[in-house]
Structure formats: C-alpha cells, structure tokens
Amino acid sequence: MRTSRVIVRSGLTVAAAAALPLAFAGPAGAGPGISVSTSGTTVAVTTSACSEVNGSWGTASLLNSTQNTFAEGRQVALSGSATSQSAAWSSVTPGTYTVIVRCSDNSTAGTQSVIASGATPTATASPTSTPTSTATPTMSATASPTRGVMGGIGGAVKDHTTLTLVAGGALVAAGVGGTAWYVRRRAKPHRF
C-alpha cells in the first residue's frame, strides 16, 4: 500500500514537472523580429511581423541614449506590404541608438540597438596634388542590450522554441524521477 502511494505521488510530481515549462512557453516563435541597417547618416529598419490595421502597418521609433520610451524617439510610420514593412530616418548624427517597431495592433515587433557612424569626410584635393582616395561611409549594426545588462531569470528575454522547452521539461522530469527512485530505494531495507 505504501509503495503504491509513493509511486502515484512520484508520477504526479513527474507529470507536473514536465508540464511546467510548457505552461510558461507561450506561443512558440514570437515572430521574425526586425532587421536594422545603417548607411552614412541614414538608419533603416525592416520587418515582416506587422499586419495592416485600418490602413496603417505601425510605427518605428529611433531613440538616442538619453531617451527611454517609444514616445520620446523620432517616430516614422511603417510602409510596405503584407510580406515586408520598413521605415527609415535620415540625417542621423553619429551615436548609439535603439530602434523599436510597434505594429498597429500595439504589439512590439522587435527592439534592436544600432551604432550610426555617420558619413566620413571625403578627401579633398589641393590645386598642386592629385586626389588619392575617397572615404566611404561605414556601417555597423549590433544586437546588444539597449540599456545595460538584460537581467532576469537567465534568458527570460529571449524567445525559446517548443523543442527547447520540451528538452528542458524532459531534463526536469528525469531529475524528479531519479530523485524519486533514489528516495524509494533508500527506504527499503538492504538484503544480503
């Protein structure tokens, strides 16, 4: 009788531990996100995560290092089609910026940091010399944290696939099952 209760309790514990990661999973793959690029003094963003609502795809906002909210940034309406939406900002001064894309349904398509280096000066020729080279603008886009370290429960800010969550649930279930087996084994008297 006692053994059957331990097995039933262990089975319930294993089932609960296996279901726990799936309860927190939410939708698998929250969407494609955004892609940010720079060219000289222009910053551009592209996404395919938004859908048209009342003739609008959404809005993109470019925040400098002192701005903290979507409303504080330079906002531009998204334009495009059902497969791709984009926005661009011109005359961007060199610095680190955060691009946030908010769709018309108030969902956030993505957030990404970008370093705008601006246009580099071109070489000028003096009357007595020949021009040697013309500098080209440099571009750099990074996916670094926007404002310091992204703290939290390790990786809580990343989207995990169903496969990752199932593998984690299986590891938890194996750990709970191993613990139940060990405790049950220790409870039995040793026979020689």
Side-chain angles (χ1 to χ4, degrees):
M1 182 73 173
R2 179 176 176 204
T3 305
S4 63
R5 275 191 249 166
V6 170
I7 291 174
V8 169
R9 285 184 196 159
S10 298
L12 292 174
T13 304
V14 169
L20 185 63
L22 297 175
F24 292 114
I34 64 174
S35 174
V36 180
S37 62
T38 63
S39 177
T41 61
T42 302
V43 174
V45 63
T46 305
T47 186
S48 58
C50 297
S51 57
E52 189 174 20
V53 176
N54 296 327
S56 172
W57 295 101
T59 308
S61 185
L62 181 70
L63 286 70
N64 65 27
S65 59
T66 62
Q67 297 169 325
N68 295 316
T69 63
F70 184 87
E72 292 176 326
R74 287 174 55 185
Q75 296 180 22
V76 176
L78 291 174
S79 60
S81 64
T83 57
S84 178
Q85 305 85 44
S86 62
W89 299 268
S90 59
S91 302
V92 176
T93 58
T96 301
Y97 294 88
T98 301
V99 176
I100 303 172
V101 175
R102 187 172 291 161
C103 298
S104 291
D105 62 359
N106 277 337
S107 65
T108 301
T111 301
Q112 186 174 336
S113 291
V114 64
I115 299 171
S117 58
T120 56
T122 57
T124 57
S126 64
T128 59
S129 67
T130 59
T132 56
S133 69
T134 304
T136 58
T138 59
M139 61 177 91
S140 170
T142 61
S144 61
T146 56
R147 283 162 186 71
V149 176
M150 291 184 190
I153 302 171
V157 295
K158 299 209 183 264
D159 293 328
H160 295 288
T161 63
T162 304
L163 178 64
T164 304
L165 296 171
V166 169
L171 288 172
V172 169
V176 170
T179 301
W181 174 79
Y182 179 75
V183 168
R184 184 172 177 263
R185 186 169 177 249
R186 285 199 44 132
K188 287 185 180 178
H190 293 290
R191 298 184 185 159
F192 293 108

